[in-house]
Amino acid sequence: MSAGLGTRLRTGLSRTVEALAPAPDAAAAARAALALQARGMAATLSYFPAWDGEPEGIIAAGEALSAALGEGAPGTCLAIKASPLHFDKDLLRAVASPAASAGMTVVFDALTHVQAGPTLDLVEWMAQAYGASGAALPVRWRRSLADAERLRETPVRLRLVKGEWPDPEGDAGEPGQAYLNLVRMLAGRKAPVGVATHDPALARAALEILKPSGTPCELEQLRGLPMKRSTAVAARLGVPVRLYWPFGPGWWPYAAEKLIERPYLLKWWVADRLG
C-alpha cells in the first residue's frame, strides 16, 4: 500500500468514525472529573476538535465544560492545542477566562517540532496572565532539555511525554534515558511535574528522583491504556495519579487511527489486566 493511499484510508476512517461514534461531550467530561475526584484522582480533560473544527467550537466546548464543572473539582486541567486556535491570544483568552473562573488550569498538548516554540511562548504568556499554565515536553526532542531549563523556575505545570513526532535532527537517544535526563533537570522545582508513562519501571525511576527532591509530582495516565501496574507503583510511593481524559468529536477518530497504527495496544491492555 502506498503512503498516499494509506493516508487517504486513515483519513476516510477517521471521518467515518467521527460521523458514527457518539463523542464524549463537555458534560460527560465534567462528570468524569467529579467521579475521579471522589476516587482521589485528578483529571486533565483534553478537548479534541473535529477534523474540520473551527475556533468557535473549541471556545464553546471550553465554556460548556467550565459551566458544567463549576468549582466542583479543584486541580482539574483543561488540555488544548494551540494550532486550531491559530496561536491567537484573543482566542485563547476566550477559552482560558471561563476555565480560570472554574478553577481549571489550561495546559497545552505537544504539537510538532516546528510548533514547539510558538506554543511555549503562549505557555509563558498564559502563566503571567492567569498565574498558571501547563505544557507537555516530548522527551525524544533534543530541544526539550533547553525547554525544561527555560521553564524550570516558572509556575508552569510540565508533563513529560515520549512524543508522537520524531526530532528532525534525530531523537535524543534511548527513550528511557532521555526521559530520566529531563526528570533530573527538573528535580527540585516548585511547580508540578507530571510523569506521563505507562511503563512501570520508568515511572518508578522517575518518581524516585522527583519525590525525594521535594518536587510536586504526579503519575499521569491516558484513559484507555493499561495502567494497573503503573498506578500500583504510584500507590507504593505515595504519589497521586492524574487521568488524561479526552473528549470532543475528534477523540474517537484519533483513537481509531492510533489503534490501527499500534495493534499491539489491545494485547498490552489484556496482559495488564491479567497482571
Side-chain angles (χ1 to χ4, degrees):
M1 181 185 297
S2 69
L5 178 58
T7 299
R8 289 195 296 273
L9 288 175
R10 286 195 298 272
T11 300
L13 175 64
S14 294
R15 294 180 182 178
T16 300
V17 172
E18 183 178 313
L20 297 177
D25 59 10
R31 290 193 298 271
L34 295 170
L36 287 167
Q37 185 186 52
R39 293 168 50 193
M41 297 171 64
T44 291
L45 306 174
S46 178
Y47 183 70
F48 279 68
W51 66 272
D52 58 350
E54 297 293 331
E56 292 75 15
I58 301 171
I59 293 169
E63 291 174 342
L65 177 63
S66 300
L69 195 59
E71 298 181 2
T76 300
C77 294
L78 170 60
I80 60 174
K81 296 169 179 62
S83 56
L85 293 173
H86 312 308
F87 300 92
D88 183 283
K89 291 180 181 178
D90 290 332
L91 294 174
L92 286 168
R93 284 192 189 95
V95 176
S97 294
S101 297
M104 287 190 290
T105 298
V106 173
V107 300
F108 290 90
D109 286 326
L111 295 169
T112 63
H113 193 275
V114 73
Q115 294 168 315
T119 298
L120 293 185
D121 290 343
L122 287 176
V123 167
E124 291 184 314
W125 169 78
M126 286 198 65
Q128 294 178 351
Y130 293 94
S133 66
L137 294 182
V139 303
R140 65 191 303 181
W141 291 351
R142 296 174 184 268
R143 65 166 291 157
S144 289
L145 274 175
D147 292 336
E149 186 173 14
R150 167 183 175 179
L151 298 171
R152 177 183 162 82
E153 304 304 327
T154 70
V156 174
R157 301 183 63 96
L158 293 177
R159 178 172 179 258
L160 305 185
V161 300
K162 179 182 177 181
E164 288 192 53
W165 294 278
D167 190 317
E169 298 180 359
D171 285 1
E174 192 275 323
Q177 189 58 52
Y179 203 108
L180 295 180
N181 286 342
L182 270 181
V183 168
R184 294 186 186 97
M185 165 69 72
L186 296 169
R189 80 187 301 252
K190 296 179 181 179
V193 175
V195 174
T197 179
H198 289 256
D199 179 336
L202 181 58
R204 182 178 64 252
L207 294 172
E208 286 179 344
I209 293 170
L210 292 170
K211 189 175 180 184
S213 74
T215 304
C217 55
E218 301 172 319
L219 176 69
E220 296 203 15
Q221 302 286 272
L222 173 62
R223 179 193 182 204
L225 288 189
M227 53 188 290
K228 182 178 179 181
R229 292 176 296 163
S230 46
T231 55
V233 168
R236 286 196 297 271
L237 295 174
V239 171
V241 176
R242 175 179 295 271
L243 190 67
Y244 186 93
W245 205 93
F247 72 105
W251 167 241
W252 288 128
Y254 176 85
E257 182 172 344
K258 294 306 170 186
L259 187 58
I260 291 173
E261 293 176 357
R262 306 168 188 172
Y264 63 83
L265 289 176
L266 182 59
K267 180 180 178 182
W268 180 23
W269 183 86
V270 172
D272 182 78
R273 297 305 299 168
L274 295 176

